[in-house]
Amino acid sequence: MRKSVLMGCMGDLVLLKKHRLSPTASLVLGRHSADLANLGTTADSSSVPKQAQRSFFRKQATAVQGGSTKAGFFRIPRILEKDNQGGFEKSTENQKQPQSKKVDSSNNANILSKSQVSLEKPTPNTQKTPKAKLAQDSRIFAQNSQTLKTPQAAGFCDDFWGFGAKGEESYLSGNDRALSEQSPKSAQKPTPKPRKALYIDKEAISSLALVQEGLLSPIASLANSKTLDLSKDSYLTPFVLNPAGKRNRKVLESTKPNEVLDIVFEQRSVGYLRVEEVFPIDRHARTIQLTGLQGGAEFDRIYSRLGDYAVCGEYQVDFPDIKEAKASLQEQIATHNAKHITGLVLDGQVFHNAHEAFIRDALSTSDLVVLFLLKPYRDTLIHYDMQKQCVEFAMRHFLVSDRMCIIPLDDTYLFMGTNNVLLHAMVARNYGCTHFIVSDNTPNLSVFYERNTLYSVLDMVSGISTSIKGGYVYCNTCQMLINRTTCPHGKHHHISYNTESILEFFKVGLLPPSVLVRPSIAAKLLAHLFPNRFSNLQKLYYDLMPFDEGVLLPKSEEDFYLELMRLYELRSK
């Protein structure tokens, strides 16, 4: 056995030297075996003394194992040292296996196989080894590695699997091994656990965005349990997020501080909330606080969207509508170099003549008039887009449009309470307006006189000049639209402009009198509310209306309503 071991070690050294000197040397194991066979035919064990053989054997073992700290790279791993101490269990069986498998040609495998051979104990059955047996490659590390089936060995191999990355452990040029094959641990990345989510609607997102963009300042964040109790006597309603739904309730019940929740709208994440506190809330009392009502349809609508748990913390939502509106207004201010900027809040369901007169009054003293057109989230008779079209039509044809700007203002549940006029003034101020005007018939204005001085709830808002104007009426004695405070006639001579009452005309499909709404605007609204109303519109039009165009042209329902209004204005003597 010692003789065969000696010849194997000397053969490997000669092979390594031959491989380094010859760039075309083959790495096929058959070539190696032939070199070892030729070497075995010339080496004679009798010519070497036994003492020299033992000395050479020890030097080879020391060189391979790394006797000093400088040879640490060639040191045998601990798992192999423990295995050597106990002896290889299958060394004899592995020697009897046929030479059909190719083993790795890397340097590490070659060095480890030498140490394994040098430490192997001779057995009585292997002292007379045939030359065919010597042709077998001494690097049997790959065969003996089958005995390393303990958990410790498996952990050792896994931890050092990617040591020879990018083909470093191969003599071949280039990378002959894929990185994914060498790094099984890095390829198996754990799937991140999805975060909890709150599911809210667009109205709630708009409310969050109003506070986020600073339009409701000094309200700057969600209220927690302490600020909610302290703000009961405040004129500002605390900003609380308590979404309804069983899914949201389950999430809030299991949420802990510092957790991050996704804010989801229509199956799409639109922001996040880092939880500071989750606390129970009386949804009935919260609804009364928001609406100022004890019951009714609006009370039920707000109550149904509130939950029993509120959450507070830092949040971020993506709502570009408000950012775009702010940028548009700042561009208008810069274009006109406006200093006197007046804000008006307009419920544009019906743009009537009193609205037009109110805007004219503001234009006479302002560089720029900003119309905050309320955008409702509840069902209304006239859609917001149609309301905006009517206001834009009036601006182009009857007002100074280049000194006006329309800003959509989401009429969320935050503006349902008795303090909505305060919130409107705050929004106008935070948009950049210097003045804010309301009519004296505005709900929840709380007007009172003291020593001939008019006071209102708007006096609580700082940073903007607020004023209250008298409402407009049509006086049948003056026969004109006039400010009520400047008309000498009594109320029994006045025609009032009540939006809810004017809407009744449109609900039943009637044209309101032109003294209330301009015929062009009324015709647009009726054509929108009752499309395809007439089965034979063209015949009806030309049968009733005067034919002064000379050519038969197709007419729309809007054209028909305009001509019908002119017929109403005619009087027979």
Side-chain angles (χ1 to χ4, degrees):
M1 180 63 186
R2 292 181 180 177
K3 179 179 178 180
S4 62
V5 169
L6 175 59
M7 288 189 294
C9 293
M10 293 176 66
D12 282 348
L13 293 176
V14 173
L15 174 62
L16 181 60
K17 182 175 181 181
K18 177 181 178 182
H19 178 76
R20 290 181 177 177
L21 294 177
S22 177
T24 60
S26 175
L27 295 179
V28 182
L29 295 181
R31 290 278 189 90
H32 294 186
S33 301
D35 292 339
L36 291 176
N38 294 336
L39 179 63
T41 58
T42 57
D44 188 4
S45 60
S46 61
S47 62
V48 181
K50 293 184 178 181
Q51 187 68 23
Q53 291 180 10
R54 293 192 188 98
S55 176
F56 178 80
F57 179 83
R58 292 192 185 97
K59 290 181 180 180
Q60 292 295 328
T62 304
V64 173
Q65 295 182 35
S68 63
T69 57
K70 296 182 180 180
F73 177 80
F74 299 96
R75 190 172 299 166
I76 299 176
R78 288 182 298 172
I79 184 65
L80 295 181
E81 290 179 357
K82 293 181 179 180
D83 205 359
N84 287 333
Q85 292 174 5
F88 291 101
E89 298 175 358
K90 298 182 179 180
S91 58
T92 306
E93 296 177 5
N94 292 335
Q95 289 180 0
K96 295 180 180 181
Q97 293 181 0
Q99 186 189 353
S100 60
K101 292 186 179 181
K102 295 184 180 181
V103 297
D104 192 2
S105 60
S106 62
N107 291 337
N108 296 340
N110 192 12
I111 294 173
L112 292 176
S113 63
K114 291 178 182 180
S115 63
Q116 178 179 335
V117 173
S118 62
L119 293 178
E120 186 178 4
K121 294 182 180 181
T123 57
N125 298 330
T126 59
Q127 291 182 0
K128 293 183 179 180
T129 306
K131 292 183 179 182
K133 202 85 172 186
L134 292 176
Q136 184 179 1
D137 196 345
S138 61
R139 290 166 292 172
I140 58 175
F141 173 73
Q143 297 179 359
N144 288 335
S145 62
Q146 299 176 1
T147 62
L148 305 177
K149 296 183 180 180
T150 62
Q152 183 179 4
F156 176 86
C157 295
D158 286 343
D159 290 340
F160 292 88
W161 180 263
F163 180 79
K166 297 187 179 180
E168 291 179 1
E169 57 186 18
S170 173
Y171 286 117
L172 299 178
S173 61
N175 185 2
D176 62 334
R177 184 175 296 185
L179 291 177
S180 59
E181 296 178 358
Q182 298 189 23
S183 306
K185 280 191 173 182
S186 60
Q188 300 176 357
K189 296 182 179 179
T191 303
K193 185 179 180 181
R195 295 189 300 198
K196 300 177 183 177
L198 290 178
Y199 297 85
I200 60 179
D201 58 5
K202 190 174 182 179
E203 186 175 358
I205 296 175
S206 176
S207 302
L208 291 170
L210 284 171
V211 177
Q212 174 182 286
E213 299 298 330
L215 296 181
L216 293 180
S217 176
I219 301 175
S221 60
L222 292 169
N224 54 31
S225 57
K226 294 182 180 179
T227 57
L228 184 63
D229 295 335
L230 294 176
S231 61
K232 288 182 178 180
D233 298 330
S234 174
Y235 67 91
L236 290 178
T237 303
F239 183 43
V240 180
L241 179 62
N242 55 326
K246 296 180 180 179
R247 182 167 47 181
N248 289 331
R249 180 190 178 105
K250 183 178 180 181
V251 168
L252 292 178
E253 287 179 340
S254 61
T255 299
K256 298 179 181 179
N258 296 325
E259 279 194 58
V260 178
L261 303 179
D262 285 331
I263 299 176
V264 178
F265 168 64
E266 293 182 347
Q267 308 302 322
R268 181 174 61 92
S269 178
V270 296
Y272 70 89
L273 186 148
R274 189 176 299 277
V275 178
E276 177 184 324
E277 181 186 7
V278 177
F279 54 94
I281 189 172
D282 187 351
R283 58 191 296 199
H284 187 271
R286 174 64 177 168
T287 307
I288 296 175
Q289 188 181 43
L290 285 172
T291 62
L293 304 173
Q294 297 290 336
E298 283 301 313
F299 180 92
D300 294 339
R301 186 182 78 87
I302 301 300
Y303 183 82
S304 64
R305 61 176 296 106
L306 302 181
D308 296 321
Y309 286 90
V311 60
C312 69
E314 178 187 356
Y315 70 89
Q316 184 76 29
V317 292
D318 182 20
F319 196 77
D321 298 7
I322 296 179
K323 292 183 179 180
E324 293 173 0
K326 289 178 68 176
S328 175
L329 180 56
Q330 293 303 317
E331 182 180 355
Q332 289 275 2
I333 294 174
T335 302
H336 295 86
N337 194 21
K339 304 299 181 183
H340 192 291
I341 308 166
T342 302
L344 304 174
V345 176
L346 184 63
D347 182 3
Q349 285 200 68
V350 178
F351 188 80
H352 49 67
N353 295 348
H355 289 153
E356 184 178 328
F358 200 70
I359 295 173
R360 290 181 186 275
D361 190 29
L363 281 170
S364 63
T365 59
S366 304
D367 299 326
L368 183 66
V369 174
V370 182
L371 296 181
F372 293 98
L373 188 60
L374 294 181
K375 186 177 182 180
Y377 280 93
R378 59 188 184 279
D379 294 334
T380 56
L381 179 64
I382 302 174
H383 193 266
Y384 169 79
D385 294 336
M386 192 63 204
Q387 298 176 24
K388 187 177 180 181
Q389 289 182 25
C390 292
V391 176
E392 290 175 343
F393 179 84
M395 289 171 56
R396 289 193 304 268
H397 293 85
F398 311 115
L399 298 167
V400 186
S401 60
D402 60 343
R403 290 170 51 201
M404 297 179 61
C405 179
I406 298 178
I407 298 296
L409 178 58
D410 292 354
D411 192 19
T412 68
Y413 61 90
L414 296 179
F415 299 99
M416 292 296 299
T418 56
N419 62 348
N420 59 346
V421 66
L422 288 173
L423 297 178
H424 290 160
M426 292 163 53
V427 169
R429 177 196 63 192
N430 295 323
Y431 258 110
C433 296
T434 59
H435 294 73
F436 183 70
I437 301 177
V438 296
S439 174
D440 59 359
N441 58 4
T442 302
N444 305 317
L445 195 54
S446 303
V447 177
F448 64 95
Y449 285 89
E450 184 178 350
R451 296 179 182 180
N452 297 326
T453 303
L454 179 65
Y455 294 94
S456 71
V457 69
L458 289 174
D459 297 329
M460 298 180 180
V461 182
S462 60
I464 189 172
S465 177
T466 60
S467 58
I468 302 173
K469 302 291 184 179
Y472 284 85
V473 295
Y474 185 88
C475 179
N476 56 13
T477 302
C478 299
Q479 293 187 355
M480 63 178 298
L481 188 67
I482 192 172
N483 193 304
R484 185 176 61 249
T485 59
T486 61
C487 181
H489 306 102
K491 187 176 181 180
H492 56 285
H493 293 284
H494 294 166
I495 300 175
S496 300
Y497 291 84
N498 186 283
T499 302
E500 295 297 330
S501 299
I502 295 175
L503 277 174
E504 294 297 326
F505 287 93
F506 294 100
K507 288 180 180 179
V508 296
L510 293 178
L511 279 170
S514 60
V515 70
L516 297 177
V517 182
R518 285 188 176 272
S520 54
I521 295 178
K524 282 182 173 294
L525 293 177
L526 275 182
H528 170 71
L529 293 174
F530 299 95
N532 304 320
R533 189 177 189 181
F534 304 102
S535 59
N536 195 350
L537 178 64
Q538 306 302 322
K539 182 178 183 302
L540 182 63
Y541 181 91
Y542 285 107
D543 286 347
L544 297 177
M545 308 307 171
F547 182 71
D548 55 356
E549 295 177 345
V551 180
L552 294 178
L553 299 175
K555 298 296 181 180
S556 64
E557 291 183 340
E558 187 176 337
D559 297 331
F560 175 78
Y561 288 127
L562 285 174
E563 292 298 326
L564 184 62
M565 182 62 69
R566 294 190 180 99
L567 292 181
Y568 285 144
E569 294 174 351
L570 296 178
R571 295 181 181 180
S572 61
K573 295 182 180 179

